Amino acid sequence: MQWLERHVPKLVLAPSFVAVLIFVYAFIGWTAWISFTRSRLMPNYEIVGTIQYERLAASPRWETAMTNLAIFGILFILVSMVLGLLLAIFLDQKIRTEGVLRTIYLYPMALSLIVTGTAWKWILNPGLGLESMVRGWGFETFAFDWLINPDKAIYTVVIAGVWQASGFVMALFLAGLRSVDAEIIKAAQVDGIPTHRIYSAIIIPSMAPIFLSAFIVLAHLAIKSFDLVVALTGGGPGYATDLPATYMYAMAFSRGDIGQAASSAMVMMGVVFAIVVPYLYSELRAKHD
Amino acid sequence: MTDISAPPRRPIGQTLLRWGLYAMLFLFAFYYLMPLFVMLTTSLKSLEEIRTGSLVALPREVTFDAWATAWSGACTGIQCEGLRPYFWNSMLMAVPAVALSALIGAMNGYVIAQWRFPGANLIFSLMLFGCFIPFQVVLLPMARTLGFLNIAGTIPGLIFVHVIYGIGFTTLFFRNYYVTIPQELVKAAKIDGAGFFRIFWSIFLPLSLPIIVVTVIWQFTQIWNDFLFGVSFSQAGTQPVTVALNNIVNSTTGVKEYNVDMAAAIIAALPTLLVYVVAGKYFIRGLTAGSVKG
């Protein structure tokens, strides 16, 4: 009884610990193992080396997916950050309707990306959406066919992604702006430093950790992006808007090529970790100091 | 608060600047609201009006036919039962998964924050790490495991997956909340003879309402909006609403009914939108806690 009493906390935590060990770490190990085999439809556990990664490197579809990830990731992160910061600074100017505006800016974050994708697919639909609307205003030659244009379709994913996530970045930045020491700002105002200089020289530099957080969250969202592409473009036209996540899914569940699915998943994890691990490390270290 | 607005008497330039500021803010409000507005108006139009009218025009004749079809008649492939069965699938999946993962997270957070033992922090770090993995990396072994456990393609299977991969976040939320409660509380209660569960039940649980709300909202939004697990681990009949919505929109049989698509999208979005409108404050707190502290 005494023994039990003393070990209850450990026993309570144990099932979760075991679950994480199996369903996160062992599963990653399994996927890593498979990525070094010749597995196709069924897993084959004989390790043959980096053949799956070589197949990835040689696949034009994977190349498209990685290029798209770079285009989407960079633009999505950049535009969301700029827009989010801008909106946060605007909202920080003692705006009377701040509460309502904030609610409006942030609500897309509550939606499923499938809903967002469905909505934008309709809006960007060349036949009946934005294009025909602008033509209806008298601009007969107006063309906006990005959704069905293989070279431009990835940018529609950016448009919808930014719409979904920028309000969230705004909320992060607004919280950051509000946490800057008011005394320093008062002192700067007394000294007659103009508002834009106060922002660019005092407030924004002091928000470096928030920039980092926003970057991590957005990068994470970008790499995991799957639903949005599925709902908006279905990866098309052709596979012009494929991302690593959709490539992995296609290999795993429609092509029956689990070797490719495993290796592409491992590459995705590598990209996530390259971004997240240094951040987690610095966070954990900061907490111990 | 950053107090950097202009002094009381504003010169004309300042006034113009403020007008410009408000104009910009409302322009952006319009940008964020436009898709919702378009969805709503499109869902209330007839197909005929959609073909002839403008995207942003208000419906000339409001009809709820598209909503009725989306709810109980739209085709998701070969079945034409609308979104209704899938909406309930999502409910059946989300409610137990949210409750279970919150409960487990609360117990875990309580242990990690208040009953520290050697290695507890390492376990916490390992769990935290699990929040960041792209789920693609566990998709294949999980599909096999669900088959092995005989719950592949079932709602209990989806509940299982959502609970497993929700534990990291729920533990994080509760741990960060309980860590702010002084350790003396547990010590004093122990001297009074209260045990582990008794202290949790009568001291910590009553203090936990705010973090329970944050956790429940976060988990509900995540699970309701999930698509990857839903599409990978369900089969015809057990699909969650996001998967069914995607199937309705991309079903290629018959005439493309945009009004039905939009009504279906709004129906699928309603529960989380409602949560956001009712408890937006907690929603934002969950978002920022889940991302900043992680």
Side-chain angles (χ1 to χ4, degrees):
Chain A
M1 210 44 215
Q2 270 277 282
W3 181 89
L4 197 67
E5 184 78 352
R6 219 151 25 90
H7 291 277
V8 157
K10 288 177 203 169
L11 291 175
V12 166
L13 201 55
S16 300
F17 178 52
V18 173
V20 168
L21 280 188
I22 295 174
F23 297 109
V24 176
Y25 295 93
F27 275 17
I28 293 174
W30 192 90
T31 305
W33 184 291
I34 290 297
S35 76
F36 291 108
T37 68
R38 274 188 213 282
S39 305
R40 281 278 179 149
L41 198 58
M42 293 305 277
N44 164 349
Y45 294 98
E46 188 196 341
I47 291 202
V48 294
T50 56
I51 173 174
Q52 296 295 350
Y53 295 93
E54 284 155 27
R55 283 180 65 206
L56 271 188
S59 154
R61 185 171 175 181
W62 177 252
E63 197 190 321
T64 309
M66 288 301 270
T67 313
N68 280 340
L69 178 62
I71 296 173
F72 171 68
I74 292 169
L75 284 177
F76 169 71
I77 294 172
L78 205 70
V79 179
S80 298
M81 291 254 247
V82 170
L83 202 59
L85 183 63
L86 209 65
L87 289 175
I89 292 176
F90 285 173
L91 270 186
D92 197 32
Q93 309 304 318
K94 298 212 160 197
I95 299 302
R96 219 164 294 154
T97 47
E98 188 197 309
V100 179
L101 288 170
R102 230 176 30 202
T103 308
I104 293 173
Y105 294 167
L106 196 60
Y107 86 89
M109 206 62 191
L111 303 180
S112 155
L113 283 162
I114 297 291
V115 173
T116 302
T118 303
W120 282 96
K121 185 182 188 163
W122 164 233
I123 293 167
L124 299 174
N125 176 322
L128 294 164
L130 217 56
E131 185 183 274
S132 81
M133 186 183 81
V134 176
R135 283 187 182 170
W137 291 343
F139 303 95
E140 295 293 343
T141 53
F142 178 81
F144 193 71
D145 62 346
W146 286 11
L147 201 58
I148 51 165
N149 180 338
D151 296 327
K152 296 282 170 55
I154 190 67
Y155 299 104
T156 63
V157 186
V158 177
I159 294 174
V162 166
W163 178 80
Q164 171 111 4
S166 49
F168 162 64
V169 183
M170 176 278 302
L172 272 185
F173 280 136
L174 196 60
L177 290 174
R178 300 269 154 92
S179 65
V180 176
D181 191 354
E183 291 300 313
I184 301 176
I185 294 163
K186 276 231 177 73
Q189 280 175 325
V190 172
D191 287 348
I193 298 171
T195 306
H196 66 95
R197 284 287 299 156
I198 296 181
Y199 272 107
S200 62
I202 301 172
I203 299 178
I204 291 174
S206 76
M207 295 206 312
I210 307 233
F211 276 92
L212 191 62
S213 297
F215 173 77
I216 298 285
V217 175
L218 291 172
H220 197 235
L221 278 176
I223 297 161
K224 293 212 292 190
S225 277
F226 172 70
D227 336 18
L228 188 58
V229 174
V230 170
L232 188 63
T233 64
Y239 50 76
T241 50
D242 242 357
L243 285 176
T246 54
Y247 180 92
M248 187 275 164
Y249 185 83
M251 292 300 153
F253 294 100
S254 42
R255 290 288 198 86
D257 192 339
I258 65 176
Q260 278 296 282
S263 57
S264 56
M266 289 311 289
V267 173
M268 285 179 67
M269 199 177 74
V271 178
V272 170
F273 280 12
I275 293 167
V276 170
V277 167
Y279 169 73
L280 267 186
Y281 180 72
S282 67
E283 274 281 298
L284 290 173
R285 213 181 45 174
K287 269 177 200 151
H288 282 293
D289 285 344
Chain B
M1 289 292 281
T2 50
D3 180 14
I4 44 174
S5 60
R9 275 179 68 204
R10 295 201 186 99
I12 188 88
Q14 284 279 354
T15 312
L16 277 176
L17 211 64
R18 277 198 83 72
W19 276 100
L21 188 65
Y22 272 94
M24 287 295 280
L25 285 169
F26 283 104
L27 197 71
F28 275 112
F30 172 78
Y31 161 69
Y32 287 107
L33 282 176
M34 188 268 288
L36 191 64
F37 171 79
V38 168
M39 280 161 84
L40 199 62
T41 52
T42 305
S43 77
L44 297 173
K45 290 176 191 172
S46 66
L47 266 183
E48 181 51 36
E49 206 185 322
I50 290 173
R51 268 192 226 101
T52 53
S54 162
L55 183 68
V56 291
L58 285 169
R60 279 190 303 269
E61 246 176 280
V62 172
T63 159
F64 289 95
D65 293 352
W67 282 74
T69 310
W71 181 244
S72 56
C75 298
T76 56
I78 42 166
Q79 281 156 310
C80 296
E81 306 165 88
L83 222 45
R84 184 172 50 190
Y86 308 99
F87 190 89
W88 295 123
N89 281 349
S90 272
M91 276 293 169
L92 280 176
M93 169 186 81
V95 172
V98 169
L100 274 174
S101 58
L103 183 72
I104 296 171
M107 294 309 289
N108 289 346
Y110 172 58
V111 170
I112 293 168
Q114 296 283 340
W115 295 79
R116 293 181 190 159
F117 56 84
N121 260 333
L122 178 71
I123 294 177
F124 181 53
S125 303
L126 285 174
M127 288 174 125
L128 214 57
F129 211 57
C131 298
F132 282 101
I133 58 164
F135 289 131
Q136 279 77 12
V137 86
V138 295
L139 228 43
L140 290 168
M142 187 46 105
R144 300 183 72 78
T145 306
L146 290 177
F148 178 73
L149 295 174
N150 242 334
I151 46 174
T154 67
I155 290 173
L158 282 173
I159 295 174
F160 177 76
V161 175
H162 282 297
V163 170
I164 293 287
Y165 296 109
I167 290 176
F169 268 113
T170 57
T171 302
L172 170 73
F173 285 152
F174 279 98
R175 181 262 178 198
N176 284 355
Y177 186 77
Y178 288 149
V179 92
T180 61
I181 297 173
Q183 301 244 304
E184 281 67 33
L185 218 56
V186 169
K187 281 193 190 124
K190 267 204 273 192
I191 292 166
D192 288 345
F196 177 87
F197 291 105
R198 180 73 201 283
I199 297 173
F200 179 73
W201 184 255
S202 45
I203 300 178
F204 281 81
L205 209 54
L207 290 172
S208 308
L209 191 64
I211 198 64
I212 291 175
V213 176
V214 168
T215 308
V216 165
I217 288 177
W218 168 272
Q219 280 297 90
F220 182 76
T221 313
Q222 293 294 309
I223 296 172
W224 185 274
N225 288 343
D226 163 73
F227 180 72
L228 182 62
F229 287 148
V231 75
S232 306
F233 302 138
S234 67
Q235 56 193 35
T238 61
Q239 287 150 335
V241 72
T242 46
V243 178
L245 169 63
N246 191 53
N247 288 344
I248 288 178
V249 174
N250 291 317
S251 107
T252 42
T253 46
V255 188
K256 198 88 208 73
E257 295 181 290
Y258 297 104
N259 47 0
V260 174
D261 291 355
M262 291 304 119
I266 299 175
I267 291 171
L270 267 183
T272 48
L273 263 186
L274 201 69
V275 166
Y276 175 68
V277 171
V278 172
K281 192 177 74 177
Y282 292 99
F283 177 84
I284 296 164
R285 212 184 287 173
L287 268 182
T288 43
S291 52
V292 180
K293 296 276 174 56

